[in-house]
Amino acid sequence: MALRHAVLAALLDGEYSGYQLAKAFDIGVANFWHALPQQLYAELTKLEKEGLIAGRQVVQETRPNKRLFQVTKAGRAELEDFAAAVSKPSSIRDDLLVKVQVADRVGTASVIGQLEERASAAEGKIELLGALLRQLRGDVDEEEFLRHGERIGPYLTCLRGLSFEQEHRDWCLRIASVLKERSALKERSVLKERKSTRAER
Amino acid sequence: MALRHAVLAALLDGEYSGYQLAKAFDIGVANFWHALPQQLYAELTKLEKEGLIAGRQVVQETRPNKRLFQVTKAGRAELEDFAAAVSKPSSIRDDLLVKVQVADRVGTASVIGQLEERASAAEGKIELLGALLRQLRGDVDEEEFLRHGERIGPYLTCLRGLSFEQEHRDWCLRIASVLKERSALKERSVLKERKSTRAER
DNA sequence: TGTGACTAATCAAATTCTTGAGTAGTGGAG
DNA sequence: CTCCACTACTCAAGAATTTGATTAGTCACA
């Protein structure tokens, strides 16, 4: 039941249409809750039906019309309740880790490639998040901002996203290099074996 | 489609029953793929039907009978294919981050409590993972083990789990202290205001 | 002599998430 | 002038995940 609350949380920062929300999700909220546009539209419809958000039509000339949504009082109350309720534990869910788990039993080459790809994707996200953080805090330094800024929620979650991506990148690079070294060692020992086999004949 | 591969990966380390698998999942595989027992039983049934694992009945005297499963050749091949295929990006999915996102707009007290609970849960997991890592590597040091150990897959994924939990703990504590300081500041300014209001009368 | 915890599973239902396609107009690049 | 990308949204099918019970014997503890 957290998608609805993630949507409410995102709408707290301003009016959005489904389409805009999908974009905003990708950079901000996706740090802790990923969702496809279809889900967002569906959730917005449900939330409106339940009176937790209110939508208004905006007629546009050169673009299709859109509906902007904002959180109602009931929506705010719902968020309050949610914040007070117990949360379930967080966890990683990652294909690539499954592959690493079996990396010493199956072909390694492809996994190494994927680790490096992942590392560079993480790098990209790190830069993005860094820029977002600078933008959110303005000219003041972090300590100051965290003490006195008015809207620190998104900043705090971005910090978590950033550290996650950094750890992820570092781990990917470390593991890639470990697997590479091991396959190089194996290669060498295979060559040696061939050589000695030849010598025996 | 990664649960099936996570199960195959886990079974690579030995024969397990559904029940044992559920336990093993909790400490090892759950680091990158969490699943409930019901899911595991269902998946084992499917995998057996498809010939990717083979089960054998073990009759027990004092305990209910159980079925132990091991990966077949076809299962190994399936894992190979999986390891070679592209993976989808990883991400955090966490209730608590949704709450932090709105922490400056709703009641903070409960969120602070939850952050501290989470931190101590993470602490517990850190110790568990540390012990697991020591056990996996035996007496040799990490560098040595990663270079020459035969089964490093689980070690590598535990390393990821460990760094995730450490970051998670640190972040929770940091955020909790930020939110506490802010609410203390607010408290003080409210008191001051009351005082000056009283003085005015 | 109950009480609760552990082993070993299975069933059903509801909910959530993913995959994939489709509509329809605008505006820019080559 | 065609093709592609962008805005804005919808529909449906399916797979995956969660929630919540239920069965049934064993064992330790008080």
Side-chain angles (χ1 to χ4, degrees):
Chain A
M1 289 289 264
L3 175 57
R4 65 190 307 101
H5 301 110
V7 168
L8 288 172
L11 287 179
L12 227 47
D13 286 320
E15 268 187 329
Y16 289 104
S17 69
Y19 189 81
Q20 293 169 317
L21 192 60
K23 303 255 148 176
F25 243 67
D26 257 3
I27 55 163
V29 180
N31 274 319
F32 52 89
W33 209 277
H34 171 260
L36 297 164
Q38 293 98 308
Q39 267 178 286
L40 297 178
Y41 282 114
E43 202 61 50
L44 285 170
T45 305
K46 266 202 256 169
L47 284 168
E48 194 183 20
K49 211 172 282 168
E50 292 172 39
L52 304 181
I53 61 175
R56 62 185 180 91
Q57 184 86 6
V58 173
V59 179
Q60 297 183 116
E61 308 247 301
T62 79
R63 297 269 147 222
N65 296 341
K66 62 183 175 182
R67 311 202 57 211
L68 295 182
F69 296 93
Q70 55 188 348
V71 180
T72 62
K73 259 188 193 165
R76 246 161 228 279
E78 171 74 23
L79 264 181
E80 293 266 4
D81 290 353
F82 170 70
V86 295
S87 7
K88 44 188 79 162
S90 79
S91 61
I92 306 181
R93 172 155 289 199
D94 191 342
D95 268 17
L96 189 46
L97 288 245
V98 178
K99 296 177 187 180
V100 168
Q101 173 93 3
V102 299
D104 46 8
R105 299 283 182 93
V106 304
T108 313
S110 148
V111 176
I112 293 172
Q114 289 179 58
L115 284 163
E116 285 169 344
E117 250 173 69
R118 268 295 180 81
S120 80
E123 191 64 52
K125 243 188 147 194
I126 289 167
E127 270 161 48
L128 220 123
L129 285 168
L132 189 51
L133 285 170
R134 274 192 301 280
Q135 193 201 308
L136 284 170
R137 94 172 90 86
D139 337 315
V140 295
D141 75 348
E142 187 164 279
E143 278 307 312
E144 175 62 17
F145 176 71
L146 290 181
R147 214 167 281 143
H148 305 293
E150 336 106 44
R151 185 79 181 102
I152 59 163
Y155 194 90
L156 297 174
T157 56
C158 280
L159 278 180
R160 181 72 188 104
L162 181 62
S163 97
F164 176 80
E165 295 295 340
Q166 284 169 342
E167 283 298 317
H168 191 42
R169 176 200 55 191
D170 294 349
W171 179 83
C172 284
L173 292 177
R174 173 91 204 280
I175 302 318
S177 97
V178 165
L179 292 178
K180 266 193 221 164
E181 198 187 333
R182 285 172 68 95
S183 79
L185 275 174
K186 208 168 140 198
E187 189 73 15
R188 249 177 284 161
S189 77
V190 167
L191 282 177
K192 225 201 246 169
E193 209 170 294
R194 271 199 212 143
K195 214 172 164 183
S196 69
T197 313
R198 233 179 293 152
E200 275 164 33
R201 281 186 300 184
Chain B
M1 290 285 266
L3 175 58
R4 62 190 307 101
H5 299 111
V7 169
L8 287 172
L11 287 179
L12 227 45
D13 287 320
E15 269 187 329
Y16 289 105
S17 69
Y19 189 82
Q20 293 169 318
L21 193 60
K23 302 255 147 174
F25 243 66
D26 258 4
I27 55 163
V29 181
N31 275 318
F32 51 90
W33 209 278
H34 172 259
L36 298 165
Q38 294 97 308
Q39 271 178 284
L40 297 178
Y41 283 113
E43 202 60 50
L44 285 170
T45 305
K46 266 202 253 169
L47 283 168
E48 194 183 20
K49 210 172 282 168
E50 293 172 38
L52 303 181
I53 61 175
R56 62 185 182 91
Q57 184 86 7
V58 173
V59 179
Q60 297 182 115
E61 308 247 301
T62 78
R63 296 267 148 224
N65 296 343
K66 60 183 174 181
R67 309 203 59 212
L68 294 183
F69 295 94
Q70 56 187 349
V71 181
T72 62
K73 261 190 191 163
R76 247 160 226 278
E78 172 74 21
L79 264 182
E80 294 266 3
D81 290 353
F82 170 70
V86 295
S87 9
K88 42 189 78 161
S90 79
S91 60
I92 306 179
R93 171 157 291 201
D94 190 342
D95 267 18
L96 190 48
L97 286 246
V98 178
K99 296 177 187 178
V100 168
Q101 173 92 4
V102 298
D104 45 8
R105 298 282 183 93
V106 304
T108 313
S110 149
V111 175
I112 292 172
Q114 291 180 56
L115 283 163
E116 284 170 346
E117 251 173 69
R118 269 293 181 83
S120 81
E123 193 62 52
K125 247 192 144 190
I126 288 167
E127 269 161 49
L128 219 122
L129 286 168
L132 188 52
L133 285 169
R134 274 192 299 280
Q135 191 201 311
L136 284 171
R137 93 170 92 86
D139 336 314
V140 294
D141 75 350
E142 186 163 281
E143 279 305 312
E144 176 62 17
F145 177 72
L146 289 180
R147 217 168 278 143
H148 304 294
E150 336 105 44
R151 186 81 181 101
I152 58 164
Y155 194 89
L156 297 174
T157 56
C158 280
L159 279 180
R160 181 71 188 102
L162 180 63
S163 96
F164 176 81
E165 295 295 339
Q166 284 168 342
E167 284 296 317
H168 190 42
R169 176 200 54 190
D170 294 349
W171 179 84
C172 284
L173 292 177
R174 173 91 204 280
I175 301 320
S177 97
V178 164
L179 292 179
K180 266 192 218 163
E181 199 188 332
R182 285 172 67 95
S183 80
L185 275 174
K186 208 165 139 198
E187 190 73 15
R188 248 176 285 159
S189 78
V190 167
L191 283 177
K192 224 201 246 166
E193 209 170 293
R194 271 199 212 141
K195 213 171 166 184
S196 70
T197 312
R198 231 178 296 151
E200 275 164 31
R201 283 186 299 188

